[in-house]
Amino acid sequence: MIKVKRNTGWQGSGSPIKIHANGEKIASVSHKQKVEIKIPHDQVELKAMQFGIRSNTITVHDGDLVEVTSTFWTRWSLPVLIILFALPILLPDAQEKFMITALLMILLITLLLLFVKGYELKVLPAEEDR
């Protein structure tokens, strides 16, 4: 059995993060929650996912405490999106503004989902289990 605690801040707080062990979904953890999860083996490869946003993969052992946190990129994604929305205001044509904003948003979100890990998993020392 392992324990997984979620400490992601406001990012994705409205929905649970799915926890996968060896590629199979085994649990979900909601905002500011800690869950105990029975793992199928003494050692598994753990990964977290939410709406296509994924984490790194780590090896955990029976009895480990794992923390899910947001990465730098996830924390800064909303301010960057707000800036991208504001930039087209400087353009003269309304249709052009919409098209540029939509294309920038689609491009940015696609690149983030494909290449950037949004969450980080790490094993914490046992004394942090409170």
Side-chain angles (χ1 to χ4, degrees):
M1 181 161 310
I2 61 170
K3 293 180 182 175
V4 177
K5 74 177 192 175
R6 180 174 169 178
N7 188 17
T8 56
W10 57 269
Q11 291 87 9
S13 61
S15 297
I17 293 177
K18 295 174 181 76
I19 307 297
H20 295 257
N22 297 337
E24 298 289 325
K25 180 187 173 215
I26 60 169
S28 295
V29 60
S30 295
H31 182 60
K32 293 189 177 190
Q33 206 180 39
K34 185 191 301 186
V35 294
E36 290 186 0
I37 303 169
K38 185 174 181 177
I39 56 175
H41 307 287
D42 288 339
Q43 174 182 313
V44 294
E45 297 291 314
L46 208 66
K47 187 176 191 172
M49 296 185 74
Q50 181 188 46
F51 301 120
I53 301 168
R54 64 196 187 292
S55 73
N56 57 318
T57 301
I58 62 171
T59 302
V60 297
H61 301 86
D62 195 27
D64 281 347
L65 171 63
V66 179
E67 182 179 43
V68 182
T69 58
S70 298
T71 62
F72 171 82
W73 297 108
T74 305
R75 287 189 298 271
W76 281 96
S77 61
L78 184 62
V80 168
L81 290 175
I82 290 171
I83 290 169
L84 287 177
F85 262 131
L87 286 178
I89 291 171
L90 303 173
L91 300 173
D93 184 20
Q95 185 176 4
E96 189 177 297
K97 288 180 190 182
F98 173 77
M99 291 301 294
I100 289 174
T101 301
L103 289 174
L104 285 174
M105 297 288 286
I106 290 169
L107 178 65
L108 180 65
I109 291 169
T110 302
L111 289 174
L112 288 174
L113 288 175
L114 290 175
F115 298 111
V116 177
K117 293 191 177 16
Y119 296 111
E120 181 181 8
L121 296 179
K122 60 185 169 186
V123 177
L124 297 177
E127 60 266 8
E128 291 194 32
D129 188 10
R130 296 180 217 158

